[in-house]
Amino acid sequence: MNSRQQTTNSKTGTIIRLESVEKVYHVGNEDVRALAGVTTTIGYGSFWAIMGPSGSGKSTMLNLLGCLDQPTAGKYFFEDQDVNLLDDNGLSELRLRKLGFIFQSFNLIPQLTVKENIELPLFYLNWDPKTTAGRAADLAEMVGLGDRFHHRPMELSGGQQQRVAFARALANNPEVLLADEPTGNLDSTTSAQIMQLLVDLHKSGKTIIMVTHEHHLAAFAEKRLLMRDGRIDHIEA
Amino acid sequence: MMYPHLFQEVKLGLKNLVLHGLRSLLTMLGMVFGVGSVIAMLAVGEGANQEALEQIRLLGSNNIIIHSAKPINEENKAKGRTFLSIYGLLYEDEHTIGDTFASVDRTVPVKIIRKEGRVGKRSQELRVVGTTPAWFELVRRPMVAGRPLLSRDMIKKANVVVLSESAAKKILAAGKTIGQKVRIGGSYYVVAGIVRNLASTGKTIKPLDQEMDGYIPITSMREHFGDVVVKRTAGSRLREKVELHQVIIQVRDINEVEAVARGISTMLGHFHKNADYRVEVPLALLRQAEATKRTFNIVLGSIAAISLLVGGIGIMNIMLASVTERTREIGIRRAIGAKRRQIITQFLIETAVLSSCGGLIGIAMGLFIPWLITLFAGLPTVVTTMSLVLSIGISLAVGIIFGLYPASRAAHLDPIQALRHE
Ligand SMILES: Nc1ncnc2c1ncn2[C@@H]1O[C@H](COP(=O)(O)OP(=O)(O)OP(=O)(O)O)[C@@H](O)[C@H]1O
Ligand SMILES: [Mg+2]
């Protein structure tokens, strides 16, 4: 993303606040406490890495932060909005305007081209169809895929697909980028390319929350949050 | 709110359908055959109906036709012996009817006998109709040549005949037409005119006019042939005295036809105790035909409904499969910020595109099949605009109704679970 287009974020203060957030899954007769009381605050423009052993609740937390899921107990404030009070439409609206996602498995729509995948958020934002192509082209250029604009995901490498996902996540100019093991399926070279994009994005002022298992990747973040058994074990600054 | 993107949605829907070409085609087939057969069936039904109505109209919906009918007891009496059976309508009946009912415009007496007509060596059995000039006003068929019967023919009991076109072709030498003499029975009749044949299309109801007809003044017929007809059968001679074979009554106002018909039945019932007549009311036949049509349409409608239902279930089935197959896609769209309503719209547009494509192909088929039926089976078919509008409307409605459930199921998937779906 070149800085001419991306409005640099100058907001300060807290964007996300979690208060004793719990998430309990009912599996048969058993309750699985994926999150067992998480309290923290995340500031505007910060870059967080969430780490921890498998099954410690990292993805669960990220999904809650991304409004894809709702907590069983506790409170979640996004920009002082109590997310628990939002209905399905409100949550969709919040995701559409404020959030961007990158997943480990890319999650591009296979029937759509690179262009159409990147345009998807704009489509739901009701952009004038005439203006979406230009925006999509800029984003594709930014992630270095200008020459793959009309290809389908199947015709791209994993690293290229993840860069398309990255471009799509930024199409709506979100407040927060959420990334769940964005390099989990990639080799070290392509991982480095994706990390570079995240670092550049952070420099432009976006808030980034990334789940990762890799310490050298977590090192790029400003803060490292360590999860254990559904709780925050400690936070490294 | 979605309108700027409606075009893209439709494009996306089409794309998805094209992507699963065979599947979409099979889904559409239900719709295609549903719509196609509905239109075709209605076209055949409408064709048959219009033909029947046309036949009845030719009889004249303002007319009442009374036929002489041989009573059953007369039939028995005549067995094996020489016997004169007397039955049927009387000359007097015609006058009584004309005088009794104010709303009767005109009455036409008809005597019919079968006689050979001969000109030189050419001969043909004719249906010789003894009638009055009023017959020609009632039937309103154009003259090919010459003139119809006139009242002076009646008064003079003139030996003139008006031939039907086909009878004229059969017995008159080419070139010579009007003025030729035709021998009918023992007498010669001068051809006064030739009247056009009825373009006979139908087989269901006999038109007034038969093919090989010769019309002569009823007065002349009475004079030459009398009222007694001798029929020779094996071992017996059957003699029948019938004054009039038919009386055609034209009623001024169509709304009074049925009342007059009832009146005539009651009146004739007094004079003809042995029920030797039959009253035919074309209007009643018309009503009956219309009632039959309604029944027919209900039956067709039910068949149509069932076939479209089957088509709809096919669409629902495919859309449910599609929803399952595209759970991941739905999850992605929801994660990006698509609202439930937008997911519903997306799937509905797909079913609408699917069913309207099916409907359009079905209409093409529905136009083509009746054409084939007319071409090869010679049955009349009429494709009504109504049936087109109805079937396209129903196919769209079916598509949307049966698409609604899969669409709403898609929209109510939990985004997280949808994303995890393999
Ligand atoms: N849908 C679910 N139903 C039941 N239990 C679940 C569900 N999702 C997660 N869990 C449980 O919640 C716990 C936390 O899962 P989560 O996916 O958040 O772990 P994670 O930290 O992301 O692990 P990983 O590093 O392997 O991705 C696990 O014990 C998991 O079994
Ligand atoms: Mg995880």
Side-chain angles (χ1 to χ4, degrees), chain B residues 202-406:
Chain B
K203 293 101 203 160
T204 38
I205 298 164
K206 277 183 190 161
L208 264 183
D209 193 23
Q210 299 278 325
E211 301 271 310
M212 302 296 178
D213 281 359
Y215 303 93
I216 63 175
I218 194 167
T219 47
S220 168
M221 181 181 260
R222 240 188 126 177
E223 180 132 316
H224 288 102
F225 303 103
D227 295 328
V228 178
V229 180
V230 182
K231 286 181 183 168
R232 277 170 234 276
T233 51
S236 73
R237 290 197 316 143
L238 186 65
R239 296 194 304 147
E240 289 185 354
K241 182 170 189 259
V242 179
E243 292 191 3
L244 288 175
H245 292 92
Q246 286 178 9
V247 176
I248 305 171
I249 296 132
Q250 191 176 44
V251 181
R252 194 171 304 126
D253 186 350
I254 196 160
N255 295 317
E256 292 181 47
V257 170
E258 277 159 325
V260 171
R262 275 195 300 277
I264 289 173
S265 292
T266 317
M267 194 190 81
L268 287 178
H270 284 296
F271 301 121
H272 296 256
K273 293 293 183 200
N274 56 349
D276 54 356
Y277 64 92
R278 177 167 60 82
V279 180
E280 183 184 41
V281 188
L283 185 68
L285 292 177
L286 197 77
R287 296 255 159 84
Q288 211 177 332
E290 275 163 357
T292 312
K293 184 195 170 187
R294 272 195 293 279
T295 318
F296 195 61
N297 281 348
I298 289 169
V299 172
L300 284 184
S302 316
I303 296 172
I306 291 168
S307 54
L308 287 172
L309 190 77
V310 171
I313 292 170
I315 286 184
M316 180 146 95
N317 188 19
I318 285 304
M319 290 318 288
L320 279 175
S322 177
V323 166
T324 313
E325 194 176 274
R326 290 159 63 191
T327 303
R328 186 77 170 267
E329 176 191 329
I330 296 163
I332 295 168
R333 286 174 184 272
R334 294 281 280 139
I336 286 171
K339 296 188 176 66
R340 281 186 178 145
R341 193 176 47 76
Q342 291 171 313
I343 300 290
I344 289 181
T345 312
Q346 183 194 335
F347 276 83
L348 271 190
I349 284 174
E350 278 183 36
T351 53
V353 168
L354 201 65
S355 57
S356 50
C357 282
L360 283 178
I361 299 173
I363 282 183
M365 205 175 96
L367 293 174
F368 184 60
I369 289 175
W371 181 79
L372 280 183
I373 290 175
T374 307
L375 191 69
F376 289 112
L379 288 175
T381 53
V382 179
V383 177
T384 56
T385 333
M386 181 65 188
S387 72
L388 296 183
V389 172
L390 201 75
S391 53
I392 193 78
I394 290 176
S395 67
L396 254 183
V398 162
I400 286 172
I401 289 166
F402 284 92
L404 213 52
Y405 172 65

Side-chain angles (χ1 to χ4, degrees), chain B residues 110-179:
Chain B
V110 179
K111 269 176 93 67
I112 300 171
I113 55 172
R114 298 218 149 257
K115 285 279 178 207
E116 189 184 70
R118 178 179 284 277
V119 177
K121 286 200 174 103
R122 304 159 76 97
S123 74
Q124 163 69 37
E125 197 196 44
L126 293 178
R127 191 182 78 143
V128 183
V129 178
T131 185
T132 61
W135 195 92
F136 292 87
E137 288 163 42
L138 214 75
V139 171
R140 296 195 186 285
R141 211 157 299 151
M143 299 300 294
V144 179
R147 58 167 180 83
L149 296 178
L150 301 171
S151 47
R152 67 176 140 90
D153 299 328
M154 295 291 295
I155 298 159
K156 289 196 290 185
K157 303 180 184 174
N159 280 11
V160 290
V161 62
V162 174
L163 291 175
S164 70
E165 206 178 354
S166 51
K169 278 197 187 114
K170 199 85 183 193
I171 56 173
L172 298 183
K176 297 181 186 177
T177 49
I178 308 298

Side-chain angles (χ1 to χ4, degrees), chain A residues 7-13 44 175 204-205:
Chain A
T7 50
T8 306
N9 208 318
S10 54
K11 290 181 193 167
T12 51
Y44 275 104
E175 206 66 63
S204 79

Side-chain angles (χ1 to χ4, degrees), chain A residues 25 27 32 34 52-61 181 213, chain B residues 417 420:
Chain A
Y25 290 108
V27 183
V32 179
S54 183
S56 56
K58 305 184 293 294
S59 294
T60 306
M61 178 150 140
E181 301 187 43
H213 286 287
Chain B
Q417 257 149 18
R420 284 218 190 95

